[in-house]
Amino acid sequence: MRVRGPGLVPLVACIVLLAACQSDKPVAPPPTNSGTPCGAAGTTQLGVLERATIACTAGTTVTLQGGGASYLIVPQFATGNAVNRAVSYTIGIVGGASAALVPAAGPSLNVAPQFPGPAIPPGITRRTRQLAFDARLMEEAREKVRSGAWRPSARRVAPGAAVARVTVPAVESVRKFHVLSSETPVQFTAVGARLSYVGTNILLYVDTLAPANGFTSDQLNAFGLLFDQTLYPIDFDAFGSPSDIDQNGHLIVLLSPIVNALTPTSSCATQGFVGGFFEGFDLASTDTSSNQGEIFYSLVPDPSATVSCAHTVADLLGETPATFLHELQHLIDFSQHVVAHGGQPEIGWLDEGMSIVAEELGSLYYENKFPPPLGRTSPAQLFPDSSQGFVSGLLFDSYSYLLETDTATVTLHSDADGGLAWRGGDWLLARWLGDVKGIGIYKSLIESNLTGTANIANAAGEPFDALFGDFSLALYTDSLPGTPKSAIPLRNRFAVRNLRRMYQRLFDTSGGSSFFPRPFPIITVPLAGSISASMVPGTMSFYRLDTASGSSTVTIDFGSTPGVALTDALHPQLSIFRIPPGS
């Protein structure tokens, strides 16, 4: 799997991304076998800016109106239940004529471009340790629940039922916690932590052995207030309530140097650091080291680097909020699926996509608070300075994804898989779902015992295949050049983001980096003749068909080979969008 990577605006220290992989392939003469229609026989009639998604599970051909019409053609495998490996297919013209039957470059998974210098620039590597650590914890939690090793002991409480709350301890009181101190082997260290802030939503504890020169009392209060009154409500409003197995009516935020020490000093500059985490162990295990409550673990300030990497109070304020929003979504999702609904944890790719949406919601909070040109070091910035810690990574990751939409599956990855591009793809999918179905879909996805594509279909009230078809189109048709965005159907655009404007800005500020090869990452391949290519299940490829003015219809063939249908287990389908003239 190729890796990619994060950041944006003048905020950028340039980051990973390998350019789209393509290789020239000979174009065979159009086959004479016209195959069996994918859907109903006849011509699919589309007006400008209209679209259709047609399943090709029992046929291979789709006939479109010609006469100079132009189309975006997006073949895809709309499944989350397949092996994550490339599947060969062919696509081409079998009837009628296109404007220019010339050899074309088909997308290829076989050739990775080589760039000078390190494979992963420093800006991305500084996220590596947090992503890997978070992934291992979440995957372990899923496996432990799946195997039956963990079983929540808390009694389930019906929504709205009265619960006898535990009295909140007094400020300055000290409590014992067990904090994960080693991944391999798994070990916990007992610590004493002082309750330093009591809010409406959180209880903030600080380890009694935190290094000197940390928070002042005013800084600690401001830190607690930010998490209690700004950040917690962002996730609560979007994703719903976490469980409350300790029945204290609060989320515990525990800051401990044990978390700092999870990062070796030698890797601070190259891999970054563990900034915070949620442990399913605390909700689903009866082990004596489980704290039996809803807890977010994070760093303490350590400006003198006495434990590991140096972290000032300002560093924590810049870095921890996005991690908190990300991990709190994981906590809410896990507690609802496993504790409240007695089901399995959400599949890694969807859970991660939702957690990246949680980070983005932090950015949107500050974007609304500081509309242009307020709150920006440079008036040219798309995002205010206060948004950068929330939004920069997902922008780079999603650009990376759009360079390799035929490779980076959005429906088959787990948190155990490395790579940044698939995370960018799953953020785009989760963001699009929220735009099209309304933000309430996030709570529906979380308050469920379903997972993956079945969960999405249930929450959206329609088949996943139909959703995936329109999502695939929206990746390209959002903000089409020369077309007012309001004219594009709601299903084929993003409401909150303008993709071309975002990626244009990323390109402009990259300083000519080869990791960001063009203003918009997706390239459409001219559809002509018969092209052999491949895709991974849960991905799509982008082609363009310009019909000749003298052709009344054009027929496309999409199959394992010309005229031979792909297996229906892949959910093969063609999404087609009629592009405005001249676009």
Side-chain angles (χ1 to χ4, degrees):
M1 184 63 172
R2 299 185 296 261
V3 192
R4 310 277 201 208
L8 173 87
V9 218
L11 68 136
V12 176
C14 269
I15 306 193
V16 200
L17 284 151
L18 304 179
C21 293
Q22 295 187 346
S23 64
D24 291 335
K25 294 180 180 291
V27 177
T32 57
N33 182 358
S34 60
T36 303
C38 286
T43 302
T44 299
Q45 302 278 353
L46 296 177
V48 175
L49 301 180
E50 291 183 347
R51 90 283 186 190
T53 293
I54 302 169
C56 289
T57 53
T60 64
T61 64
V62 173
T63 299
L64 299 172
Q65 177 185 347
S70 294
Y71 300 95
L72 176 70
I73 310 292
V74 185
Q76 63 219 238
F77 298 142
T79 181
N81 185 24
V83 178
N84 186 357
R85 64 170 176 242
V87 177
S88 297
Y89 70 91
T90 62
I91 188 168
I93 307 300
V94 294
S98 65
L101 285 172
V102 296
S108 170
L109 307 178
N110 303 320
V111 181
Q114 300 298 312
F115 295 124
I120 304 178
I124 285 194
T125 59
R126 285 192 287 272
R127 296 173 57 204
T128 302
R129 193 162 192 85
Q130 172 65 35
L131 288 174
F133 184 85
D134 179 49
R136 283 192 292 272
L137 287 187
M138 295 306 302
E139 193 60 22
E140 179 196 32
R142 293 185 185 97
E143 178 54 36
K144 292 291 188 182
V145 175
R146 279 193 296 264
S147 68
W150 291 358
R151 291 186 179 89
S153 61
R155 63 185 178 89
R156 295 188 194 119
V157 180
V163 177
R165 299 292 187 194
V166 174
T167 302
V168 173
V171 176
E172 296 298 318
S173 61
V174 174
R175 174 183 163 180
K176 178 182 177 181
F177 293 92
H178 293 93
V179 182
L180 183 68
S181 54
S182 171
E183 299 173 70
T184 309
V186 174
Q187 292 181 345
F188 295 86
T189 296
V191 305
R194 180 170 286 106
L195 181 57
S196 302
Y197 174 92
V198 175
T200 304
N201 302 299
I202 74 162
L203 302 177
L204 176 61
Y205 282 87
V206 180
D207 196 313
T208 57
L209 298 181
N213 302 317
F215 289 110
T216 65
S217 58
D218 287 345
Q219 288 172 332
L220 191 58
N221 187 68
F223 192 82
L225 195 64
L226 171 66
F227 282 70
D228 183 64
Q229 295 298 307
T230 298
L231 300 178
Y232 183 94
I234 288 173
D235 269 8
F236 178 87
D237 291 344
F239 305 110
S241 175
S243 58
D244 188 19
I245 66 172
D246 52 10
Q247 297 183 5
N248 64 6
H250 292 75
L251 171 77
I252 292 173
V253 176
L254 173 59
L255 310 182
S256 173
I258 300 296
V259 179
N260 298 57
L262 288 168
T263 303
T265 305
S266 60
S267 70
C268 294
T270 55
Q271 297 181 26
F273 54 90
V274 174
F277 59 92
F278 145 70
E279 252 283 31
F281 183 73
D282 286 331
L283 300 184
S285 174
T286 57
D287 188 273
T288 55
S289 293
S290 169
N291 291 306
Q292 291 292 301
E294 293 73 19
I295 303 176
F296 168 70
Y297 301 86
S298 193
L299 308 158
V300 292
D302 185 17
S304 300
T306 60
V307 179
S308 179
C309 318
H311 298 285
T312 65
V313 171
D315 291 338
L316 262 61
L317 286 171
E319 296 158 353
T320 310
T323 304
F324 174 79
L325 290 175
H326 185 109
E327 297 300 321
L328 179 55
Q329 191 289 136
H330 281 322
L331 189 157
I332 295 170
D333 203 326
F334 187 90
S335 67
Q336 285 293 326
H337 269 83
V338 177
V339 178
H341 291 87
Q344 293 295 309
E346 183 55 87
I347 289 175
W349 60 265
L350 182 52
D351 191 15
E352 186 70 5
M354 298 268 281
S355 277
I356 300 171
V357 166
E359 293 182 52
E360 184 202 14
L361 293 174
S363 177
L364 286 168
Y365 171 84
Y366 288 104
E367 291 171 57
N368 292 330
K369 187 174 182 179
F370 299 107
L374 301 178
R376 290 155 171 78
T377 301
S378 165
Q381 288 178 216
L382 290 183
F383 300 94
D385 295 347
S386 48
S387 285
Q388 304 303 335
F390 300 96
V391 77
S392 60
L394 65 88
L395 293 174
F396 281 93
D397 294 352
S398 60
Y399 184 103
S400 171
Y401 166 72
L402 293 177
L403 286 172
E404 51 181 354
T405 59
D406 61 349
T407 310
T409 174
V410 296
T411 61
L412 295 178
H413 279 289
S414 76
D415 273 353
D417 300 326
L420 301 169
W422 71 264
R423 289 181 167 89
D426 284 305
W427 164 66
L428 285 167
L429 176 59
R431 163 48 52 210
W432 178 84
L433 285 170
D435 287 352
V436 170
K437 293 295 183 177
I439 197 170
I441 194 173
Y442 299 140
K443 287 184 181 179
S444 297
L445 288 167
I446 285 174
E447 295 171 357
S448 170
N449 59 6
L450 298 173
T451 62
T453 58
N455 195 13
I456 291 175
N458 180 70
E462 62 179 284
F464 178 77
D465 297 33
L467 294 162
F468 195 72
D470 279 329
F471 163 68
S472 298
L473 291 174
L475 295 175
Y476 187 86
T477 58
D478 178 81
S479 54
L480 273 175
T483 301
K485 184 157 180 170
S486 59
I488 299 169
L490 292 173
R491 297 271 296 204
N492 302 120
R493 57 183 164 98
F494 288 74
V496 173
R497 300 299 180 196
N498 183 310
L499 299 190
R500 279 180 172 76
R501 183 171 63 179
M502 287 195 319
Y503 300 130
Q504 177 72 58
R505 181 64 181 166
L506 183 57
F507 174 79
D508 291 343
T509 58
S510 69
S513 168
S514 57
F515 293 112
F516 311 99
R518 45 191 173 268
F520 187 66
I522 296 174
I523 288 180
T524 56
V525 175
L527 188 57
S530 181
I531 298 172
S532 297
S534 53
M535 292 187 295
V536 174
T539 72
M540 75 290 294
S541 293
F542 293 85
Y543 295 86
R544 180 182 176 115
L545 172 61
D546 294 299
T547 66
S549 58
S551 63
S552 59
T553 62
V554 172
T555 299
I556 302 166
D557 185 281
F558 170 50
S560 60
T561 58
V564 179
L566 289 147
T567 173
D568 59 1
L570 292 169
H571 293 233
Q573 58 186 29
L574 286 176
S575 289
I576 302 161
F577 187 94
R578 185 165 174 181
I579 302 170
S583 293

